[in-house]
Amino acid sequence: KYGGTLRWAVYPDSAHFDLAQNTSVVNSTFQMMLYNGILRYNPNDAGNTIIGDLAESWDISEDGKTWTFPFREGVKFTDGAVLTADDVVATWARIFDPPVGVNMPRGAIYNAYDPSVRAVDPLTVEFNFEKAPPKGVMLNGFALEWHGIFQKATLDKYDNDLKRDGKEVPTTGAFKFESYLVGEVWKNERNPDYWNDGLPFLDAVWLFPTSNSATRSATLLARQVDFAQTITPAVADRLIDEGEMTVERFSSYSFGAA
């Protein structure tokens, strides 16, 4: 079903606008839908498998040290530029070896295996590791939502640090940034030129920052939003009793939340 705006009660305001430098979902929830990574968790099986995102497939050498990714042809950033292997290399070179003042909090996942990255041709990227990483560890690492692909020209323009201006940089995702009013609402709108035909279904996603689970719960109860996560158990029970909304319980890192 196409159309409509999803109103989503999320965590507090993003501390800054560089997706890869974010340290938690509190910051990155606003931006994840704007980007694509190399791989992604499969949305059709609740993330139990990993599938290609911007990469069409992947090949791992027999010794496990070389990982090769051919990328989709014709993927465009929201400024009209076509994605190339150079964008992927620039994105991941920053993760592996960030400049002074730039923090890559998940870089240790990869750097334990002494990685490097290079472009094989305009649409093929090769990762090489001095020590072969465990396959499962690296597949999950390449699928992490914080590691969306940035445009090389953008990284060059801002000296590899997008903390101030990252919210308005060109992106490839299903949605593109529309506007942000601190403390009130972050608005993302449908990307009409998204490479994945037929997606997204929604016209827009509006994210409302909240300070805690009680606030999210109250916002949901008042029907001011359509969706919220990590709400209080009491409100979850009440919503189940009312029967108007679907409630899913899940294992959460948030104490006293559902």
Side-chain angles (χ1 to χ4, degrees):
K1 182 179 179 181
Y2 285 94
T5 296
L6 175 68
R7 301 169 302 160
W8 182 358
V10 294
Y11 303 110
D13 287 285
S14 180
H16 60 74
F17 309 108
D18 191 331
L19 179 63
Q21 291 196 71
N22 281 323
T23 56
S24 76
V25 294
V26 170
N27 285 6
S28 57
T29 302
F30 300 90
Q31 292 182 285
M32 290 177 186
M33 67 191 78
L34 306 179
Y35 292 88
N36 296 107
I38 295 178
L39 305 178
R40 66 172 298 179
Y41 296 104
N42 189 347
N44 296 315
D45 65 5
N48 286 315
T49 58
I50 289 173
I51 58 176
D53 196 2
L54 290 179
E56 291 191 298
S57 61
W58 61 91
D59 178 76
I60 306 170
S61 63
E62 188 173 342
D63 64 5
K65 294 182 179 181
T66 301
W67 293 55
T68 305
F69 297 92
F71 281 79
R72 302 180 189 279
E73 187 174 358
V75 173
K76 291 183 179 181
F77 288 92
T78 47
D79 65 350
V82 176
L83 177 134
T84 71
D86 289 340
D87 300 308
V88 180
V89 170
T91 296
W92 279 87
R94 186 175 77 132
I95 295 169
F96 295 156
D97 187 21
V100 175
V102 174
N103 177 42
M104 291 290 133
R106 287 157 294 276
I109 297 172
Y110 318 95
N111 289 338
Y113 307 101
D114 297 325
S116 62
V117 58
R118 72 181 187 95
V120 176
D121 61 42
L123 281 175
T124 307
V125 173
E126 181 181 277
F127 290 82
N128 289 285
F129 300 91
E130 289 296 320
K131 295 177 286 186
K135 181 179 177 181
V137 169
M138 205 50 54
L139 283 173
N140 278 277
F142 283 127
L144 286 177
E145 58 267 34
W146 290 276
H147 293 158
I149 301 303
F150 293 96
Q151 195 178 59
K152 182 181 185 298
T154 299
L155 293 173
D156 291 343
K157 177 180 178 180
Y158 294 108
D159 296 324
N160 280 293
D161 193 344
L162 307 177
K163 284 185 176 179
R164 285 184 304 166
D165 301 291
K167 67 180 183 298
E168 297 190 64
V169 304
T171 57
T172 64
F175 294 87
K176 60 181 183 177
F177 173 77
E178 179 186 345
S179 62
Y180 179 37
L181 189 58
V182 177
E184 295 194 24
V185 63
W186 176 302
K187 295 182 178 181
N188 294 327
E189 63 181 2
R190 187 179 190 274
N191 179 2
D193 299 316
Y194 188 43
W195 56 267
N196 199 342
D197 290 341
L199 296 177
F201 291 103
L202 291 167
D203 292 326
V205 179
W206 293 2
L207 302 103
F208 297 88
T210 60
S211 57
N212 52 51
S213 60
T215 305
R216 284 189 291 281
S217 301
T219 304
L220 192 61
L221 276 177
R223 305 301 193 264
Q224 294 175 341
V225 295
D226 308 300
F227 174 68
Q229 63 196 70
T230 57
I231 61 175
T232 62
V235 168
D237 291 338
R238 178 173 169 181
L239 290 171
I240 291 172
D241 290 340
E242 291 178 354
E244 294 181 12
M245 289 190 171
T246 299
V247 177
E248 295 288 344
R249 298 188 182 275
F250 66 100
S251 178
S252 173
Y253 49 80
S254 300
F255 178 76

